[in-house]
Amino acid sequence: MPGCALAGAIAISPPRLDITLTGTQAAEAVKVVNLDTNPIRLKVSVAHWRLDEHNRVEVIPPTPQSADQWLLITPLEFVVEPGKFQTLRILVRPRVKPEVGEHRAMIFLDEQPPDTKEFATRNLARIGVGVYVWVPPVERKAIFHCADAGYFQKPMALLDLESTGNAHVRPAVQFVVWPKEKFPGKAGTVKVQESPSSPVVVPAGAVAAGLVPDIPVLPGTRRKIVFPLAESLPAGEYWLDLSGQVDSLPIAEVVPFIVPELPSGDARDGAH
């Protein structure tokens, strides 16, 4: 199901809400789909959040300027029959005069225990929908500090990014791993996708390719986005080819790295 967030047998579309607030209020909606063969009962809650040092959502206390204080959601508890959907309606209505820039909330949908004892031991799903409310004028400013790559139980890389504006920035960056002798000579020479919805294709001569996770770098923060390049690679010298942009900031970087010969018996997929 394209353009959806999935957890268990629950699909939500769109997976996040981007709302520009130009008046006193704004309305949005999400569709909650039951992909299971049994009814699913869900309860809605809202929280303020940030990302911790591992890029995981961390719930934090609300403030008058956090968007969780501005959301009116209906319904707050509902049952979705198998193969059916429920529309969740969201109204943004600030309780105070909003400051310019970004305001965040996370809408959590928690699956409730079923009434049927036969299914009472099933794992219950939790899914979150990020909500970004932007009050103009919005300024997105990114600083690219560095990129690195190496072998840490598997080939890994990182981007070190900073957001200095009043709204978050996201990387839209591809990577290609070339054996040193096959690098085409310039970052971004070959594209790995025909379009944002098409699959990633490893270019001829390369050994791996993919997309840097589009983890948000929240305003006023600096973040290292760490990601795997492959499950394993033969020992040798490689060049990591990074190209794309972080909002309006272009990225074109080449990082050499080495995959070492491992002692006999060690596995390249993470022995320790």
Side-chain angles (χ1 to χ4, degrees), residues 130-251:
V131 180
Y132 298 90
V133 179
W134 294 307
V135 178
V138 174
E139 294 183 339
R140 291 182 174 83
K141 296 180 181 179
I143 297 174
F144 169 58
H145 287 282
C146 68
D148 201 2
Y151 185 83
F152 305 95
Q153 298 185 349
K154 66 173 66 175
M156 302 288 293
L158 71 81
L159 282 185
D160 186 344
L161 302 172
E162 186 175 359
S163 174
T164 60
N166 62 14
H168 77 269
V169 297
R170 291 178 184 267
V173 178
Q174 70 170 35
F175 70 84
V176 182
V177 179
W178 302 93
K180 181 180 178 181
E181 66 277 7
K182 293 187 178 180
F183 177 61
K186 184 180 178 181
T189 301
V190 181
K191 299 300 181 184
V192 303
Q193 279 185 310
E194 290 293 328
S195 70
S197 60
S198 60
V200 171
V201 177
V202 179
V207 293
L211 303 176
V212 175
D214 66 339
I215 294 169
V217 183
L218 301 180
T221 68
R222 180 173 172 176
R223 186 156 299 276
K224 292 180 179 178
I225 299 177
V226 180
F227 54 98
L229 298 173
E231 282 301 310
S232 64
L233 290 173
E237 296 184 61
Y238 297 91
W239 283 14
L240 171 63
D241 170 357
L242 293 161
S243 61
Q245 60 189 52
V246 182
D247 274 276
S248 60
L249 177 68
I251 301 293

